[in-house]
Amino acid sequence: MQDRTIKIGEKYRHFKGNEYLVLYLAKHSETLEDMVVYQKLYGDFGIWVRPLSMFLGKKEVDGKLINRFEEIDNKL
């Protein structure tokens, strides 16, 4: 069960360090699975899509479970 929610228009940091901007939530046309449409904030600024469950999911790194993407707190 997912305890996190996605925020459209917010920046997220991938566990490898790069930053991304969440543009939209979309539905997969065949499965109706929720998908996140997001943009790289570096390099070619490409547009990517990933299942919401994966975007908000955990990843094992060095034996620890961490968030795959973490919202960046832009408040001062």
Side-chain angles (χ1 to χ4, degrees):
M1 182 176 202
Q2 200 64 254
D3 60 340
R4 300 174 62 211
T5 58
I6 195 83
K7 295 182 181 173
I8 306 303
E10 294 294 325
K11 293 180 185 177
Y12 286 78
R13 183 172 289 113
H14 188 263
F15 74 94
K16 292 182 180 176
N18 290 322
E19 294 182 5
Y20 299 84
L21 177 65
V22 171
L23 301 174
Y24 304 102
L25 280 181
K27 291 275 189 195
H28 188 288
S29 64
E30 303 262 336
T31 66
L32 300 180
E33 180 179 12
D34 290 324
M35 307 293 282
V36 179
V37 181
Y38 59 103
Q39 182 175 28
K40 291 170 43 177
L41 295 178
Y42 62 96
D44 66 358
F45 292 83
I47 306 295
W48 295 82
V49 63
R50 181 185 296 253
L52 177 62
S53 60
M54 183 183 283
F55 192 95
L56 292 179
K58 304 262 185 205
K59 174 82 174 163
E60 186 174 334
V61 177
D62 298 326
K64 296 179 184 176
L65 282 179
I66 61 170
N67 290 332
R68 184 179 303 269
F69 287 89
E70 191 71 55
E71 186 179 356
I72 299 171
D73 186 3
N74 293 315
K75 298 174 182 71
L76 298 176

Coordinates of all heavy atoms in Angstrom, one line a residue:
M1 N 0.8 -1.2 0.0 CA 0.0 0.0 0.0 C 0.9 1.2 0.0 O 1.8 1.4 0.8 CB -0.9 0.0 1.2 CG -1.9 1.1 1.3 SD -3.0 0.9 2.7 CE -4.3 1.9 2.2
Q2 N 0.6 2.2 -0.8 CA 1.4 3.4 -1.0 C 1.0 4.5 0.0 O -0.2 4.9 0.1 CB 1.2 3.9 -2.5 CG 2.2 4.8 -3.0 CD 3.6 4.1 -3.1 OE1 4.4 4.4 -2.3 NE2 3.7 3.3 -4.1
D3 N 1.9 5.0 0.8 CA 1.6 6.0 1.7 C 2.1 7.4 1.2 O 1.9 8.4 1.9 CB 2.2 5.7 3.1 CG 3.8 5.6 3.0 OD1 4.3 5.4 2.0 OD2 4.4 5.7 4.1
R4 N 2.7 7.4 0.1 CA 3.2 8.7 -0.5 C 2.2 9.1 -1.7 O 1.6 8.3 -2.3 CB 4.6 8.5 -1.0 CG 5.6 8.1 0.1 CD 6.9 7.8 -0.5 NE 7.5 9.0 -1.1 CZ 8.3 9.0 -2.2 NH1 8.7 7.9 -2.7 NH2 8.8 10.1 -2.7
T5 N 2.2 10.4 -2.0 CA 1.4 10.9 -3.1 C 2.4 11.7 -4.0 O 3.4 12.3 -3.5 CB 0.3 11.8 -2.6 OG1 0.8 12.9 -1.8 CG2 -0.7 11.0 -1.8
I6 N 2.0 11.8 -5.2 CA 2.7 12.6 -6.2 C 2.2 14.0 -6.3 O 1.0 14.2 -6.1 CB 2.7 11.9 -7.6 CG1 3.7 12.4 -8.6 CG2 1.3 12.0 -8.2 CD1 5.0 11.8 -8.4
K7 N 3.1 14.9 -6.5 CA 2.7 16.3 -6.6 C 3.1 16.9 -8.0 O 4.3 17.0 -8.3 CB 3.4 17.2 -5.5 CG 2.9 16.7 -4.1 CD 3.5 17.6 -3.1 CE 3.0 17.1 -1.7 NZ 3.7 17.8 -0.6
I8 N 2.1 17.2 -8.8 CA 2.3 17.7 -10.1 C 3.0 19.1 -10.0 O 2.6 19.9 -9.2 CB 1.0 17.9 -10.9 CG1 0.2 16.6 -10.9 CG2 1.2 18.4 -12.3 CD1 0.9 15.4 -11.5
G9 N 4.0 19.3 -10.9 CA 4.7 20.6 -10.9 C 5.8 20.7 -9.9 O 6.4 21.8 -9.8
E10 N 6.0 19.6 -9.1 CA 7.1 19.6 -8.1 C 8.4 18.9 -8.6 O 8.3 18.1 -9.5 CB 6.7 19.0 -6.8 CG 5.5 19.7 -6.1 CD 6.0 21.1 -5.6 OE1 7.1 21.3 -5.2 OE2 5.1 22.0 -5.6
K11 N 9.5 19.3 -8.1 CA 10.8 18.6 -8.4 C 11.0 17.5 -7.5 O 10.7 17.5 -6.3 CB 11.9 19.6 -8.3 CG 11.9 20.8 -9.3 CD 13.0 21.7 -9.1 CE 12.9 22.9 -10.0 NZ 14.0 23.8 -9.8
Y12 N 11.6 16.4 -8.1 CA 12.0 15.2 -7.3 C 13.4 14.9 -7.7 O 13.9 15.1 -8.8 CB 11.1 14.1 -7.7 CG 9.7 14.2 -7.2 CD1 8.8 15.0 -7.7 CD2 9.3 13.4 -6.0 CE1 7.5 15.1 -7.2 CE2 8.1 13.5 -5.5 CZ 7.2 14.4 -6.1 OH 5.9 14.5 -5.5
R13 N 14.1 14.3 -6.7 CA 15.5 13.9 -6.9 C 15.5 12.4 -6.9 O 15.0 11.7 -6.0 CB 16.4 14.4 -5.7 CG 17.9 14.0 -5.9 CD 18.8 14.7 -4.9 NE 18.9 16.1 -5.2 CZ 18.4 17.1 -4.4 NH1 17.8 16.8 -3.3 NH2 18.5 18.3 -4.7
H14 N 16.1 11.8 -8.0 CA 16.3 10.4 -8.1 C 17.4 9.9 -7.1 O 18.3 10.7 -6.8 CB 16.7 10.0 -9.5 CG 16.7 8.6 -9.8 ND1 17.9 7.9 -9.8 CD2 15.7 7.7 -10.2 CE1 17.6 6.6 -10.1 NE2 16.3 6.5 -10.4
F15 N 17.3 8.7 -6.7 CA 18.3 8.2 -5.7 C 19.7 8.3 -6.2 O 20.6 8.3 -5.4 CB 17.9 6.8 -5.2 CG 18.2 5.7 -6.2 CD1 19.4 5.0 -6.1 CD2 17.3 5.3 -7.1 CE1 19.7 4.0 -7.1 CE2 17.5 4.3 -8.0 CZ 18.8 3.7 -8.0
K16 N 19.9 8.4 -7.5 CA 21.3 8.5 -8.0 C 21.7 10.0 -8.1 O 22.8 10.3 -8.4 CB 21.3 7.9 -9.4 CG 21.2 6.4 -9.4 CD 21.3 5.9 -10.8 CE 21.2 4.3 -10.8 NZ 21.2 3.8 -12.2
G17 N 20.8 10.9 -7.7 CA 21.2 12.3 -7.6 C 20.6 13.3 -8.6 O 20.6 14.5 -8.3
N18 N 20.1 12.9 -9.7 CA 19.6 13.8 -10.7 C 18.2 14.3 -10.4 O 17.5 13.6 -9.7 CB 19.6 13.1 -12.1 CG 21.0 12.9 -12.7 OD1 21.8 13.8 -12.5 ND2 21.2 11.8 -13.3
E19 N 17.9 15.5 -10.9 CA 16.6 16.1 -10.6 C 15.6 16.0 -11.8 O 16.1 16.1 -12.9 CB 16.8 17.6 -10.1 CG 17.6 17.6 -8.8 CD 17.7 19.1 -8.3 OE1 17.2 20.0 -8.9 OE2 18.4 19.2 -7.3
Y20 N 14.3 15.9 -11.4 CA 13.3 15.8 -12.4 C 12.1 16.6 -12.0 O 11.8 16.8 -10.8 CB 12.9 14.3 -12.5 CG 14.0 13.4 -12.9 CD1 14.9 12.9 -12.0 CD2 14.2 13.1 -14.3 CE1 16.0 12.1 -12.4 CE2 15.2 12.3 -14.7 CZ 16.1 11.8 -13.7 OH 17.1 11.0 -14.2
L21 N 11.3 17.1 -13.0 CA 10.1 17.8 -12.7 C 8.9 16.9 -13.2 O 8.8 16.5 -14.3 CB 10.1 19.1 -13.6 CG 8.8 20.0 -13.5 CD1 8.6 20.5 -12.1 CD2 8.9 21.1 -14.5
V22 N 7.9 16.7 -12.3 CA 6.7 16.0 -12.6 C 5.8 16.9 -13.4 O 5.4 17.9 -12.9 CB 6.1 15.4 -11.3 CG1 4.7 14.8 -11.6 CG2 7.0 14.4 -10.6
L23 N 5.4 16.4 -14.6 CA 4.6 17.2 -15.4 C 3.1 16.8 -15.4 O 2.2 17.7 -15.3 CB 5.1 17.0 -16.9 CG 6.5 17.5 -17.2 CD1 6.9 17.1 -18.6 CD2 6.7 18.9 -16.9
Y24 N 2.8 15.5 -15.4 CA 1.5 15.0 -15.5 C 1.3 13.6 -14.8 O 2.3 12.9 -14.7 CB 1.0 14.8 -16.9 CG 1.1 16.0 -17.8 CD1 2.2 16.2 -18.7 CD2 0.2 17.0 -17.7 CE1 2.3 17.3 -19.5 CE2 0.2 18.2 -18.6 CZ 1.3 18.3 -19.4 OH 1.4 19.4 -20.3
L25 N 0.1 13.3 -14.5 CA -0.2 11.9 -14.3 C -1.0 11.4 -15.5 O -1.9 12.2 -16.0 CB -1.1 11.7 -13.0 CG -0.4 11.8 -11.7 CD1 -1.4 11.6 -10.6 CD2 0.7 10.7 -11.6
A26 N -0.8 10.2 -15.9 CA -1.5 9.7 -17.1 C -1.9 8.3 -16.8 O -1.5 7.7 -15.8 CB -0.5 9.7 -18.3
K27 N -2.7 7.7 -17.7 CA -3.2 6.3 -17.6 C -2.6 5.6 -18.8 O -2.6 6.0 -19.9 CB -4.7 6.3 -17.7 CG -5.4 6.8 -16.5 CD -5.5 5.8 -15.4 CE -6.4 6.3 -14.3 NZ -6.3 5.6 -13.1
H28 N -2.1 4.4 -18.5 CA -1.7 3.4 -19.6 C -2.9 3.1 -20.4 O -4.0 2.7 -19.8 CB -1.1 2.2 -18.9 CG -0.4 1.3 -19.9 ND1 -1.1 0.5 -20.8 CD2 0.9 1.0 -20.1 CE1 -0.3 -0.2 -21.5 NE2 1.0 0.1 -21.1
S29 N -2.9 3.1 -21.7 CA -4.0 2.9 -22.5 C -4.6 1.5 -22.5 O -5.8 1.3 -22.8 CB -3.7 3.3 -24.0 OG -2.7 2.5 -24.5
E30 N -3.8 0.5 -22.2 CA -4.2 -0.9 -22.2 C -4.6 -1.3 -20.8 O -5.6 -2.0 -20.6 CB -3.1 -1.8 -22.7 CG -2.7 -1.4 -24.1 CD -3.4 -2.2 -25.2 OE1 -3.8 -3.3 -24.9 OE2 -3.5 -1.7 -26.3
T31 N -3.8 -1.0 -19.8 CA -3.9 -1.5 -18.4 C -4.6 -0.6 -17.5 O -5.0 -1.0 -16.4 CB -2.6 -1.9 -17.8 OG1 -1.8 -0.7 -17.6 CG2 -1.8 -2.9 -18.7
L32 N -4.7 0.7 -17.8 CA -5.2 1.8 -17.0 C -4.4 2.1 -15.8 O -4.8 2.8 -14.9 CB -6.7 1.5 -16.6 CG -7.7 1.4 -17.8 CD1 -9.1 1.2 -17.3 CD2 -7.6 2.6 -18.7
E33 N -3.1 1.5 -15.8 CA -2.2 1.8 -14.7 C -1.8 3.3 -14.7 O -1.7 3.9 -15.7 CB -0.9 1.0 -14.9 CG 0.1 1.1 -13.8 CD 1.3 0.3 -14.1 OE1 1.5 -0.3 -15.2 OE2 2.1 0.2 -13.1
D34 N -1.7 3.9 -13.5 CA -1.3 5.2 -13.3 C 0.1 5.4 -13.7 O 1.0 4.6 -13.2 CB -1.5 5.7 -11.9 CG -3.0 5.9 -11.6 OD1 -3.8 6.3 -12.4 OD2 -3.4 5.6 -10.4
M35 N 0.4 6.4 -14.5 CA 1.8 6.6 -15.0 C 2.2 8.1 -14.6 O 1.4 9.0 -14.6 CB 1.9 6.5 -16.5 CG 1.4 5.1 -17.0 SD 2.3 3.7 -16.5 CE 3.7 3.8 -17.6
V36 N 3.5 8.3 -14.4 CA 4.0 9.6 -14.1 C 4.8 10.1 -15.3 O 5.6 9.3 -15.9 CB 5.0 9.6 -12.9 CG1 5.5 11.0 -12.6 CG2 4.3 9.1 -11.6
V37 N 4.5 11.3 -15.8 CA 5.2 11.9 -16.9 C 6.1 12.9 -16.3 O 5.6 13.8 -15.6 CB 4.2 12.5 -18.0 CG1 5.0 13.1 -19.1 CG2 3.2 11.5 -18.5
Y38 N 7.4 12.8 -16.5 CA 8.3 13.7 -15.9 C 9.4 14.1 -16.8 O 9.7 13.5 -17.8 CB 8.8 13.1 -14.6 CG 9.6 11.8 -14.7 CD1 11.0 11.8 -14.7 CD2 8.9 10.6 -14.9 CE1 11.6 10.6 -14.8 CE2 9.5 9.4 -15.0 CZ 10.9 9.4 -14.9 OH 11.6 8.2 -15.0
Q39 N 10.1 15.2 -16.5 CA 11.1 15.8 -17.4 C 12.5 15.8 -16.6 O 12.5 16.3 -15.5 CB 10.7 17.2 -17.8 CG 11.8 17.8 -18.7 CD 11.3 19.2 -19.2 OE1 10.5 19.9 -18.6 NE2 11.7 19.5 -20.4
K40 N 13.5 15.4 -17.3 CA 14.9 15.6 -16.8 C 15.2 17.1 -16.7 O 14.8 17.8 -17.6 CB 15.9 15.0 -17.8 CG 15.8 13.5 -17.9 CD 16.7 12.9 -19.0 CE 18.0 13.5 -19.2 NZ 18.8 12.8 -20.2
L41 N 15.8 17.5 -15.6 CA 16.3 18.9 -15.4 C 17.8 19.0 -15.7 O 18.4 19.8 -15.0 CB 15.8 19.4 -14.1 CG 14.3 19.4 -13.8 CD1 14.0 19.9 -12.4 CD2 13.7 20.3 -14.9
Y42 N 18.3 18.2 -16.6 CA 19.7 18.3 -17.0 C 19.8 17.7 -18.4 O 18.8 17.1 -18.9 CB 20.5 17.5 -16.0 CG 20.2 16.0 -16.0 CD1 20.9 15.1 -16.7 CD2 19.1 15.5 -15.2 CE1 20.5 13.7 -16.7 CE2 18.7 14.2 -15.2 CZ 19.5 13.3 -15.9 OH 19.1 12.0 -15.9
G43 N 21.0 17.8 -19.0 CA 21.2 17.2 -20.3 C 20.3 17.7 -21.4 O 20.1 18.9 -21.6
D44 N 19.6 16.7 -22.0 CA 18.7 17.1 -23.1 C 17.3 17.4 -22.6 O 16.4 17.7 -23.4 CB 18.6 15.9 -24.1 CG 18.0 14.7 -23.5 OD1 17.6 14.6 -22.3 OD2 17.8 13.7 -24.3
F45 N 17.0 17.4 -21.3 CA 15.7 17.8 -20.7 C 14.6 16.9 -21.3 O 13.5 17.3 -21.5 CB 15.4 19.3 -20.9 CG 16.3 20.2 -20.1 CD1 17.5 20.5 -20.6 CD2 15.9 20.6 -18.8 CE1 18.4 21.3 -19.8 CE2 16.7 21.4 -18.1 CZ 17.9 21.8 -18.5
G46 N 14.9 15.6 -21.5 CA 14.0 14.7 -22.1 C 12.8 14.4 -21.2 O 12.8 14.6 -20.0
I47 N 11.8 13.9 -21.9 CA 10.5 13.6 -21.2 C 10.4 12.1 -21.1 O 10.7 11.3 -22.0 CB 9.3 14.1 -22.0 CG1 9.4 15.6 -22.3 CG2 8.0 13.7 -21.3 CD1 9.3 16.5 -21.2
W48 N 10.1 11.6 -19.9 CA 10.1 10.2 -19.5 C 8.7 9.8 -18.9 O 8.0 10.7 -18.4 CB 11.2 9.9 -18.5 CG 12.5 10.1 -19.2 CD1 13.2 11.3 -19.3 CD2 13.3 9.1 -19.7 NE1 14.4 11.1 -19.9 CE2 14.5 9.7 -20.2 CE3 13.2 7.7 -19.9 CZ2 15.5 9.0 -20.8 CZ3 14.2 7.0 -20.5 CH2 15.4 7.7 -21.0
V49 N 8.4 8.6 -18.9 CA 7.2 8.0 -18.2 C 7.6 6.8 -17.5 O 8.4 6.0 -17.9 CB 6.1 7.8 -19.3 CG1 6.5 6.7 -20.2 CG2 4.8 7.5 -18.6
R50 N 6.9 6.6 -16.3 CA 7.2 5.5 -15.4 C 5.9 5.2 -14.6 O 5.2 6.1 -14.3 CB 8.3 5.9 -14.5 CG 8.8 4.9 -13.5 CD 9.8 5.4 -12.5 NE 11.0 5.8 -13.2 CZ 12.2 5.1 -13.1 NH1 12.2 4.0 -12.3 NH2 13.3 5.5 -13.7
P51 N 5.7 4.0 -14.3 CA 4.5 3.7 -13.5 C 4.6 4.4 -12.1 O 5.6 4.5 -11.5 CB 4.6 2.2 -13.3 CG 5.4 1.6 -14.4 CD 6.4 2.7 -14.7
L52 N 3.4 4.9 -11.7 CA 3.4 5.7 -10.5 C 3.9 4.8 -9.3 O 4.6 5.3 -8.5 CB 1.9 6.1 -10.2 CG 1.7 6.8 -8.9 CD1 2.4 8.1 -8.8 CD2 0.2 7.1 -8.7
S53 N 3.5 3.5 -9.3 CA 3.9 2.7 -8.2 C 5.5 2.6 -8.1 O 6.0 2.5 -7.0 CB 3.3 1.3 -8.3 OG 3.7 0.7 -9.5
M54 N 6.1 2.6 -9.3 CA 7.6 2.5 -9.3 C 8.2 3.9 -8.9 O 9.1 3.9 -8.2 CB 8.0 2.1 -10.7 CG 9.5 1.9 -10.8 SD 10.1 1.5 -12.5 CE 9.6 -0.2 -12.5
F55 N 7.6 5.0 -9.4 CA 8.1 6.3 -9.1 C 8.1 6.5 -7.6 O 9.1 7.1 -7.1 CB 7.3 7.4 -9.9 CG 7.9 8.7 -9.9 CD1 8.6 9.2 -10.9 CD2 7.7 9.6 -8.8 CE1 9.2 10.4 -10.9 CE2 8.2 10.9 -8.8 CZ 9.0 11.3 -9.8
L56 N 7.0 6.2 -7.0 CA 6.9 6.4 -5.5 C 7.4 5.2 -4.7 O 7.4 5.3 -3.5 CB 5.4 6.7 -5.2 CG 4.9 8.0 -5.7 CD1 3.4 8.1 -5.3 CD2 5.7 9.2 -5.2
G57 N 7.9 4.2 -5.4 CA 8.3 3.0 -4.7 C 9.7 3.1 -4.1 O 10.4 4.2 -4.1
K58 N 10.1 2.0 -3.5 CA 11.4 2.0 -2.8 C 12.4 1.2 -3.7 O 12.0 0.4 -4.5 CB 11.3 1.2 -1.5 CG 10.3 1.8 -0.5 CD 10.9 2.7 0.5 CE 9.9 3.2 1.5 NZ 10.4 4.4 2.1
K59 N 13.7 1.4 -3.4 CA 14.8 0.8 -4.1 C 15.8 0.3 -3.1 O 16.1 1.1 -2.1 CB 15.4 1.8 -5.1 CG 16.6 1.3 -5.8 CD 16.2 0.4 -6.9 CE 17.5 0.1 -7.7 NZ 17.3 -1.0 -8.6
E60 N 16.3 -0.9 -3.2 CA 17.4 -1.3 -2.2 C 18.7 -0.8 -2.7 O 19.1 -1.1 -3.9 CB 17.4 -2.8 -2.1 CG 18.3 -3.3 -1.0 CD 18.3 -4.8 -0.8 OE1 17.2 -5.4 -1.0 OE2 19.3 -5.3 -0.3
V61 N 19.4 -0.1 -1.9 CA 20.7 0.4 -2.2 C 21.6 0.1 -0.9 O 21.3 0.6 0.2 CB 20.7 2.0 -2.4 CG1 22.1 2.5 -2.7 CG2 19.8 2.3 -3.6
D62 N 22.7 -0.6 -1.2 CA 23.6 -1.0 -0.1 C 22.9 -1.6 1.1 O 23.2 -1.3 2.2 CB 24.4 0.3 0.4 CG 25.3 0.9 -0.7 OD1 25.8 0.1 -1.6 OD2 25.5 2.1 -0.7
G63 N 21.9 -2.4 0.8 CA 21.2 -3.2 1.8 C 20.1 -2.4 2.5 O 19.4 -2.9 3.4
K64 N 19.9 -1.1 2.1 CA 18.8 -0.3 2.7 C 17.8 0.0 1.7 O 18.1 0.3 0.5 CB 19.4 1.0 3.3 CG 20.5 0.8 4.3 CD 21.0 2.2 4.8 CE 22.1 2.0 5.8 NZ 22.7 3.3 6.2
L65 N 16.5 0.1 2.2 CA 15.4 0.5 1.3 C 15.3 2.0 1.4 O 15.2 2.6 2.5 CB 14.1 -0.1 1.7 CG 13.9 -1.6 1.3 CD1 12.6 -2.1 1.8 CD2 14.0 -1.7 -0.2
I66 N 15.4 2.7 0.2 CA 15.2 4.1 0.1 C 14.2 4.4 -0.9 O 13.9 3.6 -1.8 CB 16.6 4.8 -0.2 CG1 17.1 4.3 -1.6 CG2 17.6 4.6 0.9 CD1 18.3 5.1 -2.1
N67 N 13.7 5.7 -0.9 CA 12.7 6.1 -1.9 C 13.5 6.2 -3.3 O 14.6 6.8 -3.3 CB 12.1 7.4 -1.6 CG 11.1 7.3 -0.4 OD1 10.5 6.3 -0.2 ND2 11.0 8.4 0.3
R68 N 12.9 5.7 -4.3 CA 13.5 5.8 -5.7 C 13.5 7.3 -6.1 O 14.5 7.8 -6.6 CB 12.6 5.1 -6.7 CG 13.2 5.1 -8.1 CD 12.4 4.3 -9.0 NE 12.1 2.9 -8.6 CZ 12.9 1.9 -9.0 NH1 14.0 2.1 -9.7 NH2 12.6 0.7 -8.5
F69 N 12.5 8.1 -5.8 CA 12.4 9.5 -6.1 C 12.0 10.2 -4.8 O 11.0 9.7 -4.1 CB 11.4 9.9 -7.2 CG 11.9 9.5 -8.5 CD1 11.6 8.3 -9.1 CD2 12.6 10.4 -9.3 CE1 12.0 7.9 -10.4 CE2 13.0 10.1 -10.6 CZ 12.7 8.9 -11.1
E70 N 12.6 11.3 -4.4 CA 12.3 12.0 -3.2 C 11.9 13.4 -3.6 O 12.7 14.1 -4.4 CB 13.5 12.0 -2.3 CG 13.2 12.5 -0.9 CD 12.3 11.5 -0.1 OE1 12.7 10.3 0.1 OE2 11.3 12.0 0.4
E71 N 10.8 13.9 -3.1 CA 10.4 15.3 -3.4 C 11.5 16.3 -2.8 O 12.0 16.1 -1.7 CB 9.1 15.6 -2.8 CG 8.6 17.0 -3.1 CD 7.2 17.3 -2.5 OE1 6.6 16.4 -1.9 OE2 6.7 18.4 -2.7
I72 N 11.8 17.3 -3.6 CA 12.8 18.3 -3.2 C 12.0 19.4 -2.5 O 11.1 20.0 -3.0 CB 13.6 18.9 -4.4 CG1 14.4 17.7 -5.1 CG2 14.5 20.0 -4.0 CD1 15.0 18.2 -6.4
D73 N 12.4 19.7 -1.3 CA 11.8 20.8 -0.5 C 12.3 22.1 -1.0 O 13.5 22.4 -0.7 CB 12.1 20.6 1.0 CG 11.3 21.6 1.9 OD1 10.5 22.4 1.3 OD2 11.5 21.5 3.1
N74 N 11.5 22.9 -1.7 CA 12.0 24.1 -2.3 C 11.6 25.3 -1.3 O 11.8 26.5 -1.7 CB 11.3 24.4 -3.6 CG 11.8 23.4 -4.6 OD1 13.0 23.1 -4.7 ND2 11.0 22.8 -5.4
K75 N 11.1 25.0 -0.2 CA 10.7 26.1 0.8 C 11.9 26.5 1.6 O 12.7 25.7 2.0 CB 9.6 25.6 1.7 CG 8.3 25.2 0.9 CD 7.3 24.6 1.9 CE 6.1 24.2 1.1 NZ 6.2 23.1 0.3
L76 N 12.1 27.8 1.8 CA 13.2 28.3 2.6 C 12.8 28.5 4.0 O 11.8 28.6 4.4 CB 13.7 29.6 2.0 CG 14.2 29.5 0.6 CD1 14.6 30.9 0.1 CD2 15.4 28.6 0.5

